[in-house]
């Protein structure tokens, strides 16, 4: 079974609009971390946002917020006020046991295209 | 701002040859990782390294692969006898300490096996 599922291979949004990128996860570990990374066409992996399984509030980082619904095992990324520079591949990832040295398990990614 | 660096940016090698991919993690970081991404696919974990030993490895990380921290700054991934299916982008990452959650990724090395 997939540990991380991203069901949207591609998303299209206009500048200044908000967009939600979906991510569901599967784990039986009570302690885990959820991450979103951005990969522009240049190829590097850019960390965006993190949510711990015990965190009471949804994580926010500037225009990025993580809609964490623990019971549904979903960790959707919301990008507000999209910009052209947001066009990239977005990966959701999970770290079980949520401790250093543990692997990040990535989803297949969602390609976001922002148009003017 | 400190960053993870990787060399070379692109390596072309013939099947059966050995390759060494090099990484310089952020200087005060203690945990090091290698991931790979086959073109158009998801990023896959290979190995993590702490205190001069492997702390976790995936099924991909078989006997053809090895990692080493030969000095205080470099972290290397060796592939002993490359196969066509080893062609991928290889990312090095590092994280600061036990409490840190962020893994800082390097820019990647694109390995092409012909």
């Amino acid at each position: 079974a997939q540990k991380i599922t991203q069901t949207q291979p591609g998303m299209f949004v206009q500048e200044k609009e908000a967009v939600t990128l979906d991510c569901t996860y599967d784990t039986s570990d009570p302690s885990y971390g959820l991450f979103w990374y951005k990969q522009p066409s240049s190829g590097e992996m850019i960390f965006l946002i993190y949510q711990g399984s015990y965190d009471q509030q949804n994580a926010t980082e500037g225009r990025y917020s993580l809609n964490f619904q623990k019971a549904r095992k979903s960790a959707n990324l919301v990008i507000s006020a999209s910009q052209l520079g947001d066009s990239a591949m977005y990966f959701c990832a999970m770290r079980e046991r949520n401790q250093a040295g543990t692997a990040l398990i990535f989803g297949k990614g969602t390609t976001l295209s922002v148009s003017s | 701002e400190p960053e993870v660096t990787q060399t070379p940016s692109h390596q072309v090698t013939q099947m059966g040859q050995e390759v060494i991919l090099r990484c310089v993690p952020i200087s005060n970081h203690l945990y090091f990782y290698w991931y790979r991404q086959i073109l158009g696919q998801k990023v896959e974990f290979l190995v993590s390294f702490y205190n001069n030993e492997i702390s976790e490895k995936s099924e991909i990380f078989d006997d053809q692969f090895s990692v080493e921290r030969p000095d205080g700054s470099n972290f290397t991934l060796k592939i002993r006898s490359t196969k066509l299916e080893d062609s991928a982008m290889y990312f090095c990452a590092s994280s600061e300490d036990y409490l840190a959650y962020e893994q800082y990724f390097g820019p990647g090395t694109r390995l092409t096996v012909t």
Side-chain angles (χ1 to χ4, degrees), chain A residues 2-3 11 13 15 19 27 59 61 64 67 82 89 95 102 107 116:
Chain A
Q2 296 282 341
K3 292 271 187 178
M11 288 288 284
V13 68
E15 256 188 311
V19 62
T27 183
E61 288 285 349
Y64 304 107
N67 184 2
S82 298
M89 178 77 90
R95 184 175 72 178
T102 307
S116 56

Side-chain angles (χ1 to χ4, degrees), chain B residues 26-42:
Chain B
I26 296 172
S27 63
N28 63 335
H29 285 192
L30 301 177
Y31 294 84
F32 315 115
Y33 312 81
W34 284 102
Y35 292 84
R36 80 172 185 190
Q37 184 182 28
I38 295 170
L39 187 63
Q41 298 188 25
K42 65 180 178 181

Side-chain angles (χ1 to χ4, degrees), chain A residues 11 13-14 19 37-38 40 51 58 78 95-96 99 103 113:
Chain A
M11 288 288 284
V13 68
Q14 286 208 311
V19 62
Y37 280 83
K38 173 184 177 181
Q51 179 87 41
N58 287 345
V78 180
R95 184 175 72 178
E96 292 177 307
Q99 61 190 38
S113 300

Side-chain angles (χ1 to χ4, degrees), chain A residues 2 35 37 39 42-45 47 50 61 91 95 97-108, chain B residues 31 33 35 37 41-43 45 48 55-56 89 91 95 97-107:
Chain A
Q2 296 282 341
F35 303 76
Y37 280 83
Q39 187 177 42
S42 49
E44 71 267 33
M45 296 288 288
F47 167 78
Y50 161 82
E61 288 285 349
F91 291 99
R95 184 175 72 178
R97 302 193 305 280
N98 210 17
Q99 61 190 38
T102 307
L104 289 178
I105 304 164
F106 285 85
K108 293 184 178 180
Chain B
Y31 294 84
Y33 312 81
Y35 292 84
Q37 184 182 28
Q41 298 188 25
K42 65 180 178 181
V43 179
F45 170 76
S48 61
S55 50
E56 185 176 346
M89 180 75 92
F91 291 103
S95 60
D97 57 30
Y98 186 81
L99 296 176
Y101 52 81
E102 183 174 349
Q103 292 181 19
Y104 292 81
F105 279 71

Side-chain angles (χ1 to χ4, degrees), chain B residues 73-89:
Chain B
S73 59
N74 289 285
F75 179 52
T76 62
L77 174 69
K78 182 192 292 186
I79 310 174
R80 271 185 255 290
S81 177
T82 50
K83 299 177 277 210
L84 294 176
E85 53 264 38
D86 293 327
S87 294
M89 180 75 92

Side-chain angles (χ1 to χ4, degrees), chain B residues 18-62:
Chain B
E18 174 183 286
V19 294
I20 297 176
L21 309 183
R22 290 183 168 80
C23 168
V24 179
I26 296 172
S27 63
N28 63 335
H29 285 192
L30 301 177
Y31 294 84
F32 315 115
Y33 312 81
W34 284 102
Y35 292 84
R36 80 172 185 190
Q37 184 182 28
I38 295 170
L39 187 63
Q41 298 188 25
K42 65 180 178 181
V43 179
E44 300 173 294
F45 170 76
L46 294 177
V47 65
S48 61
F49 191 85
Y50 170 71
N51 200 24
N52 283 318
E53 58 184 34
I54 290 173
S55 50
E56 185 176 346
K57 62 181 181 179
S58 71
E59 293 175 350
I60 303 168
F61 194 86
D62 61 22

